[in-house]
Amino acid sequence: MTTYLDLHILQLVPPSCINRDDTGSPKSARFGGVERHRVSSQAWKRAARKGFADLLDAEQLGERTKYGALRVAEKLRGLRPELSEEEALEFAGEVLKAAGITMDRKHTDQTSYLVFLSRQEIERFAELAAGLADGNEKLSKKDARAALVGTTAVDIALFGRMLADAPELNVDAACQVEHALSVHKATTEFDYFTAVDDNAPEDNAGAGMIGTVEFVSSTLYRYATVDIDTLAANLGDRTAAAQAVEAFIQAFSLSMPTGKQNTFANRTRPDFILAEVRTDQPVSLVNAFEKPVANDGTALASAAVELARYAVDGDRDFGTKPATSLFLVNERASTPELLSALDGRSTAASFPDLISAVGAAVSEESGK
């Protein structure tokens, strides 16, 4: 029996451009025959990863970087301060190459691609590099790659890692994140702006700069699921997996991609959260919005009801039910229809209580 956490979020986002395409327009997708506002899963995973910094110790997190050699060299100089920066970088590069990681041909401090490394792995690489600096024999690939075994970085365990040069060291992602979609038809608008030159002559009435910025506002449905068993296997400990789940709920729920944030100050918090621990399979509820809800000032409340009813009806039809279900709802999204739909299925909770209750449920289900 596999245990999953499903996290469903409805969030009202004001005029913003938090995730852009290659033309600078807010990302979009067609769903249910109409154009929707879309925020890519990559954008929100990145935002959640940044949020981990305030919730977990640095030693519990990884770094996705091309500057792996530079990071190893920095740790190496802490172990062997007599080494110059150039010497430390040379030894660090040797260790990474011994592990089969391809280095950039032009930049000795960079790998040829992004590598997701935990802080512990960087430390272990630095220790191997210190051995080389001390005159030890040439490092074997087996010993170098051993430094990448047994990662305990929460973000690597959740979001996975692919090493093209060392596929046996790949980490299967325990978490999947759906592209956020607006629950209604969303139309992109344009902000025409001008900028005034503070030092322009008094007789110059023209603008120093003229331009446009595209933006959109929407009520988004956000969904993520975590395979608790894979997470525990990646971290090597079920207690650590429960703690990682609690951090993920907080980071994913409260994070926001930072595109054009200075322009729009669009930071909001979720209006409705449904967190469910399941032992059958992950279930996205996005199909509740195939028919777009009316965007007439009631989209949020209507979407919450549609989501709850779709969840209840789906479990009834397939003869399933969540092992644990909790929800948080603010005043704008709370209606008698919503509370009626969730009655007997889900328990209302504050955000801190929801997080701790899910963590406890994850520990209990994973231990069975």
Side-chain angles (χ1 to χ4, degrees):
M1 181 180 67
T2 303
T3 304
Y4 304 95
L5 165 69
D6 279 354
L7 195 60
H8 311 274
I9 295 174
L10 292 175
Q11 185 165 356
L12 182 59
V13 180
S16 57
C17 188
I18 59 178
N19 189 211
R20 292 168 282 173
D21 63 18
D22 58 337
T23 67
S25 302
K27 287 188 176 181
S28 63
R30 291 191 68 82
F31 183 66
V34 300
E35 198 80 6
R36 312 287 184 116
H37 178 207
R38 175 174 66 90
V39 180
S40 72
S41 60
Q42 297 93 324
W44 232 303
K45 283 190 284 188
R46 168 68 175 172
R49 280 190 57 229
K50 297 292 285 185
F52 285 145
D54 297 324
L55 303 171
L56 299 168
D57 293 336
E59 295 305 309
Q60 294 177 272
L61 300 173
E63 301 177 22
R64 189 174 62 181
T65 181
K66 294 179 70 174
Y67 294 91
L70 185 62
R71 292 289 289 116
V72 172
E74 291 171 353
K75 294 294 183 181
L76 174 57
R77 292 196 72 203
L79 299 173
R80 300 293 186 272
E82 69 276 8
L83 294 175
S84 67
E85 292 182 8
E86 292 76 14
E87 289 172 328
L89 193 58
E90 181 179 351
F91 287 123
E94 287 186 35
V95 170
L96 292 177
K97 285 186 285 187
I101 298 173
T102 305
M103 301 299 295
D104 189 281
R105 294 182 179 181
K106 295 182 179 180
H107 305 94
T108 58
D109 61 345
Q110 297 181 35
T111 54
S112 60
Y113 48 82
L114 287 169
V115 181
F116 211 168
L117 297 172
S118 72
R119 263 54 173 222
Q120 293 92 341
E121 290 165 343
I122 293 172
E123 292 278 0
R124 290 198 287 265
F125 274 140
E127 291 169 1
L128 293 173
L132 292 178
D134 294 340
N136 291 352
E137 295 183 3
K138 188 176 180 180
L139 188 63
S140 69
K141 177 181 286 189
K142 179 180 179 181
D143 289 340
R145 289 193 172 181
L148 293 169
V149 175
T151 179
T152 56
V154 169
D155 44 1
I156 295 178
L158 279 167
F159 301 125
R161 171 174 69 192
M162 188 188 79
L163 292 173
D165 297 323
E168 71 275 16
L169 298 175
N170 290 348
V171 177
D172 290 334
C175 176
Q176 299 173 358
V177 177
E178 188 172 75
H179 287 230
L181 279 180
S182 64
V183 300
H184 51 74
K185 179 180 178 180
T187 303
T188 299
E189 301 179 73
F190 293 84
D191 174 35
Y192 170 82
F193 69 88
T194 63
V196 178
D197 187 334
D198 291 342
N199 293 307
E202 291 185 5
D203 60 351
N204 181 1
M209 178 182 177
I210 296 174
T212 58
V213 175
E214 292 185 64
F215 66 90
V216 67
S217 59
S218 66
T219 297
L220 293 172
Y221 169 69
R222 301 168 51 201
Y223 170 72
T225 184
V226 180
D227 182 326
I228 305 302
D229 298 294
T230 298
L231 181 60
N234 287 347
L235 292 173
D237 183 80
R238 291 189 180 276
T239 300
Q243 294 172 343
V245 163
E246 292 184 6
F248 174 74
I249 294 173
Q250 184 162 350
F252 182 70
S253 298
L254 299 182
S255 60
M256 175 73 74
T258 56
K260 291 289 183 180
Q261 193 164 269
N262 289 344
T263 301
F264 292 101
N266 52 260
R267 195 71 182 253
T268 61
R269 290 188 287 199
D271 300 280
F272 176 74
I273 299 174
L274 178 64
E276 300 193 320
V277 177
R278 306 188 66 96
T279 56
D280 53 343
Q281 68 172 68
V283 181
S284 167
L285 302 177
V286 68
N287 288 347
F289 310 114
E290 180 194 18
K291 180 181 178 181
V293 302
N295 190 15
D296 57 1
T298 64
L300 179 62
S302 298
V305 173
E306 292 296 328
L307 184 150
R309 288 175 175 169
Y310 187 81
V312 171
D313 290 348
D315 279 330
R316 181 200 63 216
D317 294 342
F318 286 92
T320 56
K321 65 178 182 179
T324 300
S325 179
L326 299 107
F327 72 95
L328 175 154
V329 63
N330 66 16
E331 185 177 354
R332 280 188 50 76
S334 182
T335 61
E337 292 80 8
L338 174 65
L339 300 181
S340 175
L342 292 176
D343 185 35
R345 174 196 178 91
S346 194
T347 303
S350 67
F351 192 53
D353 288 344
L354 181 148
I355 292 173
S356 59
V358 170
V362 163
S363 297
E364 181 180 343
E365 290 295 333
S366 298
K368 292 181 179 178

